RNA sequence: GCCGAAGUAGCUCAGCUGGUAGAGCAACGCUUUCGUAAAGCGUGGGUCGUCGGUUCAAAUCCGAUCUUCGGCUCCA
């Protein structure tokens, strides 16, 4: 965002606050910055803002803008600032915000008209610089983003340097909604979420299943190339397994309640335990129970443990499309991108310290290959490192340094910009994530590679080194898609449902023209089917235009039009959304071969 | 989980201040057999998310609850 636009938006947020104060003098102001897409301001007010209020506030803002107030910056001492805040009756949050300004830094107030706000600036010079703005929504938000704090009301808006730019942005929003995976998923019969089945639980419909299977096949191919072994593990495991791994009760809040054996349940019921006592017993007591797995790692660890290992066997790479279950808060659920049951394209690598660099590199290559094949170039890479001032991490400093260095080195080799975030690492090791945005600009983490020193320790994993002594292997967790559900959701939006041939649930449709050609068209249909294409036959008595329209709206990438002309010459006519160079008449065999190759090559 | 909004036919939506539901598309049937994005006519389909309340009467008003959407928090 350029500086002028930033100033406009930041100024708009001040105008918003000024307008709200005119209409609701009791409102307490918290904070109101410019954002990537607009601006907001947070208010504390007993009255709940309504849609009508939003309109009134907007009208008041227009008034303020037309008054063409001048933004003036005033530097104050801390003492003066405190007095000013108290005098204005805005001490509820502003005093705290003032305290955030570090000692020695300038304290500035920006004034426009009757409104003054603690603010570092910069601002536009006059309110009339805000040429176009619109208030978009009201949302709840916690003061300082902490759910223990008071919940405030946030008004979101956006502002631009011209009416055209605003129109443009609003149109873009509309356009984006059209490619929303929840909308397309329904329209294209890819998946469903059913109230009766449960929130956040995805039903993959036949067409969505084809999409998913194609993605899985693709990954499997890459895994074979990279020397992974496929494994399968159950959906539940004993509580004890997760106690050893440290996941239970550590992740208790995000797990489904344990499945406790009938006898134990009975015994606890007889004791008349309260919920708290029940949980305590499950956590600490001698209770036999199972957990729906929130992650696959402990299972893979036990597979590794089931054999003795020599350094010559390493690295061991165990891969599984493992379905896991997490109790996400209901308000966090979102289509396919945030669900309660999802399938990780998971794998765990057990390697020696010497192999770590190369293995991380291999994982990143895999992720990169996936993103390149899909044609997703709009992602950002985030590496999460430990907070140097915290002691919550396990593993030696030496190990941490080495693995952080390995991660950083690998990230650099990607040739894309990445950010380093301190304190974001898991307690067991640093990680590197691939993050993409959905149609409304929300970020979702997809691929991830994490180094882990913790689980090998907790499960006492060993291999015999060349010195004939036991050594501790290092684990890498990695998932190039992250989860098939989230990835598919993002993928639907990425392609706006217009999938390349290899992913399209229906790759080809035969459009016969008239009853006379049905027999010939049927032959072509059989050939295409035999060639492995996902093909359908439109035998309806609609006109060609209607058949084409139907196929187009259903986003079928290729069509074969077969009329008298083609039937007599033994040809077919291709109409293709994806490959204009395919279009024209060809022999049926050629046409089918072209489409088959297109699918095989996973061309975009 | 919290704040706010919403839930009417398979889909998209209309139904004003209460008088017991309507359109387009889809589906189905008949006619049409057609040349690159919509042929014509007809038919069926809804206990208005669910439960309770107010009322002579509730899709409409009130309460609870479930689900969805936008935020916040949290995550793959």
């Amino acid at each position: 965002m350029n500086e002028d636009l930033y100033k406009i938006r930041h100024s708009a947020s001040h105008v918003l606050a000024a307008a709200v104060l005119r209409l609701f003098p009791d409102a307490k102001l918290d904070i109101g910055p410019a954002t990537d897409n607009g601006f907001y301001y947070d208010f504390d007010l007993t009255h709940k803002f309504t849609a009508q209020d939003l309109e009134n506030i907007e009208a008041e803002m227009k008034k303020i803008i037309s008054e063409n107030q001048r933004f003036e910056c005033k530097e104050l001492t801390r003492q003066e600032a405190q007095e000013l805040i108290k005098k204005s009756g805005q001490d509820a949050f502003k005093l705290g915000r003032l305290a955030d300004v570090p000692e020695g830094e300038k304290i500035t107030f920006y004034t426009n008209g009757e409104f003054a706000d603690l603010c570092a600036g910069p601002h536009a010079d006059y309110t009339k610089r805000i040429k176009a703005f619109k208030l978009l929504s009201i949302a709840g938000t916690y003061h300082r983003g902490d759910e223990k704090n008071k919940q405030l009301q946030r008004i979101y808006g956006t502002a631009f340097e011209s009416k055209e730019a605003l129109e443009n942005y609003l149109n873009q929003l509309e356009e984006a909604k059209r490619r929303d995976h929840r909308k397309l998923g329904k329209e294209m019969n890819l998946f469903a979420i059913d109230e009766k089945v449960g929130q956040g639980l995805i039903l993959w419909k036949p067409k969505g299943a084809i999409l998913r299977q194609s993605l899985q096949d693709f990954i499997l191919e890459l895994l074979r190339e990279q020397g992974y072994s496929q494994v399968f593990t159950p959906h539940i495991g004993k509580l004890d397994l997760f106690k050893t791994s440290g996941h239970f009760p550590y992740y208790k809040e995000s797990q489904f309640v344990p499945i406790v054996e009938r006898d134990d349940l009975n015994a606890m019921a007889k004791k008349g335990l309260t919920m708290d006592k029940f949980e305590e017993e499950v956590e600490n007591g001698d209770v036999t129970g199972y957990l729906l797995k929130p992650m696959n790692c402990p299972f893979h660890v036990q597979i590794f443990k089931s054999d003795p290992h020599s350094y010559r066997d390493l690295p061991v790479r165990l891969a599984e499309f493992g379905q896991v279950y997490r109790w996400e808060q209901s308000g966090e659920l979102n289509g396919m991108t945030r669900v309660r049951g999802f399938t990780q394209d998971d794998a765990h690598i057990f390697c020696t310290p010497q192999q770590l660099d190369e293995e991380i590199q291999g994982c990143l290559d895999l992720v990169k290959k996936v993103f390149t094949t899909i044609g997703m170039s709009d992602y950002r890479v985030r590496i999460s490192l430990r907070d140097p001032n915290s002691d919550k991490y396990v593993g030696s400093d030496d190990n941490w340094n080495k693995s952080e260095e390995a991660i950083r080195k690998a990230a650099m080799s990607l040739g894309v910009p990445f950010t380093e975030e301190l304190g974001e690492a898991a307690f067991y090791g640093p990680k590197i994530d691939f993050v993409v945005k959905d149609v409304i600009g929300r970020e979702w983490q997809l691929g991830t590679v994490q180094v882990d020193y913790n689980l090998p320790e907790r499960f006492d994993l060993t291999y015999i080194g060349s010195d004939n002594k036991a050594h501790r292997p290092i684990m890498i967790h990695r998932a190039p898609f992250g989860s098939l559900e989230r990835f598919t959701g993002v993928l639907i939006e990425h392609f706006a449902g217009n999938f390349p041939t290899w992913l399209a649930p229906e790759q080809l449709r035969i459009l016969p023209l008239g009853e006379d050609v049905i027999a010939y068209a049927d032959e072509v249909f059989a050939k295409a089917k035999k060639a492995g294409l996902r093909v359908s036959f439109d035998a309806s008595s609609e006109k060609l235009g209607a058949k084409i329209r139907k196929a187009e709206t259903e986003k079928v990438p290729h069509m074969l039009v077969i009329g008298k002309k083609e039937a007599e010459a033994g040809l077919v006519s291709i109409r293709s959304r994806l490959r204009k160079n395919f279009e024209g008449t060809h022999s049926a065999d050629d046409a089918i071969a072209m489409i088959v190759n297109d699918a095989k090559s996973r061309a975009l």
Side-chain angles (χ1 to χ4, degrees), chain A residues 174-185 187-188 190 211 374 376 438-439 487-500 503 505 552-556 577-578:
Chain A
E174 283 304 306
E175 189 54 44
K177 279 190 199 141
R178 253 167 259 157
R179 50 163 71 202
D180 189 310
H181 77 279
R182 291 165 298 193
K183 186 173 157 65
L184 286 174
E187 284 171 7
M188 298 178 73
L190 299 173
L211 193 56
I374 301 295
M376 263 193 222
D438 71 9
V439 288
F487 192 85
T488 302
V490 169
L491 194 69
I492 292 169
E493 301 189 352
H494 171 68
F495 286 118
N498 296 307
F499 298 111
L503 288 171
E552 290 282 354
T553 51
E554 288 171 25
K555 303 183 191 294
V556 179
R577 187 193 75 231
L578 284 171

Side-chain angles (χ1 to χ4, degrees), chain A residues 226 228 314-315 317 349 351-366 406-407 409-410 413 449 476:
Chain A
Q226 286 209 356
Y228 281 79
L314 301 188
R317 308 185 187 93
I349 298 172
C351 67
T352 70
Q354 295 74 37
Q355 292 166 332
L356 187 62
D357 272 17
E358 200 184 328
E359 288 306 311
I360 293 175
Q361 193 61 54
C363 293
L364 286 191
D365 288 346
L366 189 68
I407 288 242
K409 217 161 73 191
S413 76
V449 178
I476 301 172

Side-chain angles (χ1 to χ4, degrees), chain A residues 46-107:
Chain A
T46 338
H47 169 80
K48 303 286 177 208
F49 288 128
T50 63
Q52 184 57 50
D53 291 335
L54 226 51
E55 276 180 42
N56 298 343
I57 294 167
E58 219 174 76
E60 196 60 42
M61 287 174 72
K62 279 188 181 137
K63 234 193 258 170
I64 292 174
I65 290 172
S66 68
E67 285 166 18
N68 205 17
Q69 302 173 345
R70 200 181 123 125
F71 281 96
E72 283 176 278
C73 177
K74 221 177 348 176
E75 195 180 332
L76 300 179
T77 66
R78 197 165 286 266
Q79 183 80 39
E80 289 168 332
Q82 279 170 356
E83 276 160 23
L84 184 59
I85 289 170
K86 281 181 193 156
K87 216 176 82 192
S88 65
Q90 289 297 344
D91 42 325
F93 305 106
K94 289 296 180 187
L95 281 180
R97 296 291 176 188
L98 175 64
D100 291 347
V101 181
E103 213 51 62
E105 208 162 280
K106 273 203 284 188
I107 293 171

Side-chain angles (χ1 to χ4, degrees), chain A residues 454-467:
Chain A
N454 179 48
L455 284 184
E457 199 70 39
R458 295 190 73 112
F459 281 93
D460 191 26
L461 300 185
T462 56
Y463 64 90
I464 303 300
S466 57
D467 56 0

Side-chain angles (χ1 to χ4, degrees), chain A residues 270-286:
Chain A
K270 274 193 189 130
K271 281 194 259 175
L273 295 187
T274 61
M275 188 60 193
D276 285 350
K277 284 282 171 202
F278 170 81
E279 289 201 330
E280 212 180 292
E281 189 106 337
V282 171
E283 276 165 37
N284 309 316
D286 202 10

Side-chain angles (χ1 to χ4, degrees), chain A residues 6-296:
Chain A
Y6 174 85
K7 283 185 192 168
I8 286 173
R9 287 176 176 172
H10 195 178
S11 300
S13 106
H14 278 219
V15 171
L16 166 61
V20 166
L21 280 184
R22 279 187 184 182
L23 298 171
F24 305 93
D26 292 343
K28 298 290 173 249
L29 310 184
D30 186 7
I31 199 164
T35 65
D36 284 352
N37 294 316
F39 62 90
Y40 64 80
Y41 214 109
D42 290 349
F43 305 93
D44 184 23
L45 182 64
T46 338
H47 169 80
K48 303 286 177 208
F49 288 128
T50 63
Q52 184 57 50
D53 291 335
L54 226 51
E55 276 180 42
N56 298 343
I57 294 167
E58 219 174 76
E60 196 60 42
M61 287 174 72
K62 279 188 181 137
K63 234 193 258 170
I64 292 174
I65 290 172
S66 68
E67 285 166 18
N68 205 17
Q69 302 173 345
R70 200 181 123 125
F71 281 96
E72 283 176 278
C73 177
K74 221 177 348 176
E75 195 180 332
L76 300 179
T77 66
R78 197 165 286 266
Q79 183 80 39
E80 289 168 332
Q82 279 170 356
E83 276 160 23
L84 184 59
I85 289 170
K86 281 181 193 156
K87 216 176 82 192
S88 65
Q90 289 297 344
D91 42 325
F93 305 106
K94 289 296 180 187
L95 281 180
R97 296 291 176 188
L98 175 64
D100 291 347
V101 181
E103 213 51 62
E105 208 162 280
K106 273 203 284 188
I107 293 171
T108 54
F109 267 73
Y110 273 81
T111 308
N112 58 291
E114 78 277 15
F115 179 74
D117 200 1
L118 170 70
C119 177
H123 276 276
D125 46 2
Y126 288 94
T127 54
K128 268 199 178 162
R129 295 279 175 218
I130 306 164
K131 298 286 185 204
F133 78 95
K134 188 171 169 59
L135 296 184
L136 298 172
S137 60
I138 308 157
T141 178
Y142 298 104
H143 172 55
R144 292 185 188 274
D146 187 335
E147 61 181 327
K148 289 185 199 82
N149 285 344
K150 182 152 201 190
Q151 190 150 27
L152 312 175
Q153 300 184 73
R154 175 174 296 178
I155 296 181
Y156 278 98
T158 191
F160 285 88
E161 62 286 312
S162 71
K163 287 215 162 62
E164 294 72 43
L166 174 65
E167 280 297 304
N168 211 1
Y169 173 73
L170 295 175
N171 286 340
Q172 262 175 33
L173 280 186
E174 283 304 306
E175 189 54 44
K177 279 190 199 141
R178 253 167 259 157
R179 50 163 71 202
D180 189 310
H181 77 279
R182 291 165 298 193
K183 186 173 157 65
L184 286 174
K186 196 185 252 185
E187 284 171 7
M188 298 178 73
N189 282 319
L190 299 173
F191 69 93
I193 300 170
D194 188 283
E195 257 186 62
K196 239 179 173 128
V197 174
Q199 305 178 262
L201 301 172
I202 302 294
L203 302 172
W204 294 78
K205 297 168 82 169
K207 288 185 174 177
I210 290 172
L211 193 56
R212 169 174 167 157
Q213 192 64 54
S214 306
L215 291 171
Q216 287 188 200
D217 290 347
F218 169 48
I219 288 281
L220 282 173
E221 239 174 66
L222 296 177
L223 293 187
R224 272 194 290 274
E225 282 169 24
Q226 286 209 356
Y228 281 79
S229 311
Q230 177 78 42
V231 297
F232 297 97
T233 67
H235 286 215
I236 61 172
K238 274 191 176 170
L239 276 175
D240 195 41
L241 175 68
F242 296 99
K243 285 180 182 170
T244 303
S245 73
H247 291 120
F248 188 87
Y250 192 77
Y251 287 113
K252 199 177 74 185
E253 294 305 309
S254 49
Q255 289 163 2
F256 278 75
V257 188
I259 306 161
V260 177
E261 277 190 10
R262 194 168 270 128
D263 289 349
D264 287 335
L265 210 53
N266 241 320
M268 286 191 279
K270 274 193 189 130
K271 281 194 259 175
L273 295 187
T274 61
M275 188 60 193
D276 285 350
K277 284 282 171 202
F278 170 81
E279 289 201 330
E280 212 180 292
E281 189 106 337
V282 171
E283 276 165 37
N284 309 316
D286 202 10
V287 176
T288 312
Y290 293 83
L291 198 61
L292 259 176
K293 64 175 171 183
M295 54 271 303
N296 305 299

